[in-house]
Amino acid sequence: MNEDTPGAGGGAGPGTVRPGGRTARVREAVLRAAGDALVERGFGGVDLAEVARRAGVGKTTVYRRWGTVPVLVADMLAEMAESSQPRADTGSLDGDLAALAGLILGTLTDERQGPLFKAVIATATGDGPTAEALHRFYRVRITEWAPCVDLAVERGEIPAGTDPAEVIRSLSAPLYYRLLASGDPLDAAAAKRAAAATAVAARAGVFVSAA
Amino acid sequence: MNEDTPGAGGGAGPGTVRPGGRTARVREAVLRAAGDALVERGFGGVDLAEVARRAGVGKTTVYRRWGTVPVLVADMLAEMAESSQPRADTGSLDGDLAALAGLILGTLTDERQGPLFKAVIATATGDGPTAEALHRFYRVRITEWAPCVDLAVERGEIPAGTDPAEVIRSLSAPLYYRLLASGDPLDAAAAKRAAAATAVAARAGVFVSAA
DNA sequence: ACGCAAACGGAACTCAAGTTCCCTTAACTC
DNA sequence: GAGTTAAGGGAACTTGAGTTCCGTTTGCGT
């Protein structure tokens, strides 16, 4: 099997000593091609040789640097965690939650991002390091949006001690549940309902941490 | 490729003309072995030849009757939808929701069921018929528990017109979100919070359908 | 009970995903 | 800007998942 892969914490594999120039270009091209393949065929239908071909790269390279689909996905997630999405600041908790719900809805229903998230999460269910990368990704996103909750506390809209992460999760969960499990429609009504339910629960103090 | 598979709606494949005796025993053994494999290796790590071996069945049989992992999983889901879980009736919405949250928590944290659900959902993300089977499964479960909500309406705890399915989904979603996406702890506190948030939102009329 | 064919099962076969080998290209250092 | 060597690439090779073939077992209608 392969040693020292990017996703894993320890060893320094190919691409770590000379990360510039060609190496960076190859990584970019391969990640993009891998994303395309995941969107089109889903996890399970991805052939690394095809990814290499579509990236205009030797398949030896793909096998050497990543080796398996989960490792490639973990690398993608690391990349995705970098690019941050700016949070809204509408002046009210309801407004901010509605904005975030709309953003998540937009992502999950997007023609490319929806299938991509499905495939990425499916991959993470079967591989520890990929799951860890996925959790890091969500931790980043939640941290970015936490200020909305803190501001609402300062404005006195919701009780002090409310856990921002719990609020964001409560908002996200129903949309992801629809995408992955129940298959129920993923529309504006669902987003609105998620935002409303979260806002009501937050005001009632359900998300106060040391309850 | 394979024609007439069990998961698909149309054709009558092997196992449909003489479903008794040996055929039934084979199906049972294969589904059990497939479940074990999914739990141990996750989707993607399942080898149909190994499933056949562990089921004590010729691998030709597995390939002929099912052919691919997704089709096998879809068949498993059809089986799982049959066996229903009795709903609670504690006399209050809070009690019923707490009971259901505990049941879901128990399932998702179970040593076998947790990984199994992960693998099944991962499979469904990449295959239409399997996704359809998964959605049917949840529709059945939701229908079973809907009476809790109807009773709460009758008792006057929550507004008339509340959509039972939305309530059940709102309860389930945070737990599934943790299992599949965020990786946050899946414990009693999470279940309690989900139940509380759902109850508060329901009382506030967030889940009234024709709002 | 009998007979037909549905379903099962062993074994040989195929072919493409993944590996290995070795040469070429081009980052990074001084 | 010259040398060192990390990283990439082409092509042959290996291996095991999936298929095919055909003989055997057994469910089911009569």
Side-chain angles (χ1 to χ4, degrees):
Chain A
M1 196 27 77
N2 219 329
E3 266 191 84
D4 40 57
T5 49
T16 56
V17 177
R18 288 179 182 174
R22 177 170 63 170
T23 301
R25 272 196 308 279
V26 164
R27 177 171 182 243
E28 206 175 339
V30 169
L31 290 187
R32 186 144 24 91
D36 291 345
L38 281 172
V39 168
E40 288 170 26
R41 321 237 164 161
F43 166 71
V46 176
D47 172 17
L48 293 193
E50 195 204 334
V51 168
R53 197 171 43 69
R54 286 165 59 153
V57 154
K59 76 170 179 169
T60 314
T61 300
V62 174
Y63 279 108
R64 185 167 35 221
R65 279 188 67 176
W66 293 277
T68 67
V69 174
V71 172
L72 237 178
V73 172
D75 201 18
M76 281 187 61
L77 280 164
E79 177 95 355
M80 286 167 69
E82 305 278 310
S83 71
S84 67
Q85 291 216 300
R87 76 178 164 80
D89 186 2
T90 63
S92 75
L93 180 67
D94 289 328
D96 287 355
L97 290 183
L100 178 52
L103 205 75
I104 296 173
L105 177 69
T107 301
L108 299 188
T109 56
D110 180 83
E111 203 168 312
R112 180 186 167 86
Q113 307 251 28
L116 185 61
F117 269 74
K118 271 192 187 181
V120 164
I121 290 171
T123 308
T125 62
D127 182 72
T130 306
E132 189 47 51
L134 182 68
H135 302 160
R136 259 198 302 277
F137 171 78
Y138 284 114
R139 238 175 284 139
V140 169
R141 284 293 158 94
I142 285 173
T143 304
E144 279 170 5
W145 282 80
C148 289
V149 179
D150 293 326
L151 288 171
V153 170
E154 285 171 30
R155 285 190 298 259
E157 291 189 76
I158 54 177
T162 297
D163 180 358
E166 277 304 322
V167 176
I168 309 299
R169 278 181 213 127
S170 168
L171 182 69
S172 314
L175 302 173
Y176 277 88
Y177 180 71
R178 285 172 141 78
L179 178 76
L180 299 166
S182 82
D184 297 294
L186 207 46
D187 53 19
K192 196 174 169 184
R193 225 177 286 122
T198 299
V200 168
R203 274 193 278 271
V206 172
F207 305 123
V208 173
S209 25
Chain B
M1 196 24 80
N2 220 330
E3 267 191 80
D4 42 57
T5 49
T16 55
V17 178
R18 289 178 181 175
R22 178 170 62 172
T23 300
R25 273 196 309 279
V26 164
R27 178 172 182 243
E28 206 175 339
V30 169
L31 290 187
R32 185 143 25 90
D36 292 346
L38 282 171
V39 168
E40 288 169 26
R41 321 239 164 157
F43 168 71
V46 175
D47 172 19
L48 293 193
E50 195 204 335
V51 168
R53 198 171 42 69
R54 284 164 61 153
V57 154
K59 79 168 177 169
T60 313
T61 300
V62 174
Y63 279 107
R64 184 168 35 221
R65 281 190 66 177
W66 293 280
T68 68
V69 174
V71 173
L72 237 179
V73 171
D75 200 17
M76 280 187 59
L77 280 165
E79 176 94 356
M80 286 166 69
E82 304 277 311
S83 72
S84 67
Q85 291 216 299
R87 76 178 164 82
D89 186 2
T90 63
S92 76
L93 179 67
D94 289 328
D96 287 356
L97 290 183
L100 178 53
L103 204 75
I104 295 172
L105 177 69
T107 300
L108 299 188
T109 57
D110 180 84
E111 202 167 312
R112 181 188 166 84
Q113 307 251 31
L116 185 60
F117 269 73
K118 272 192 186 180
V120 164
I121 290 170
T123 308
T125 61
D127 181 72
T130 306
E132 189 46 51
L134 182 67
H135 301 161
R136 260 199 299 277
F137 171 78
Y138 284 113
R139 238 176 282 139
V140 169
R141 283 294 159 92
I142 286 172
T143 304
E144 278 170 6
W145 282 80
C148 290
V149 179
D150 292 324
L151 287 171
V153 170
E154 285 172 30
R155 284 190 298 257
E157 292 188 75
I158 54 177
T162 297
D163 180 358
E166 276 305 320
V167 176
I168 309 296
R169 278 181 213 128
S170 167
L171 182 69
S172 314
L175 302 173
Y176 276 89
Y177 180 71
R178 285 171 140 78
L179 178 76
L180 298 166
S182 82
D184 296 296
L186 205 47
D187 53 20
K192 197 174 167 182
R193 224 177 286 121
T198 299
V200 169
R203 276 193 277 271
V206 172
F207 304 123
V208 173
S209 21

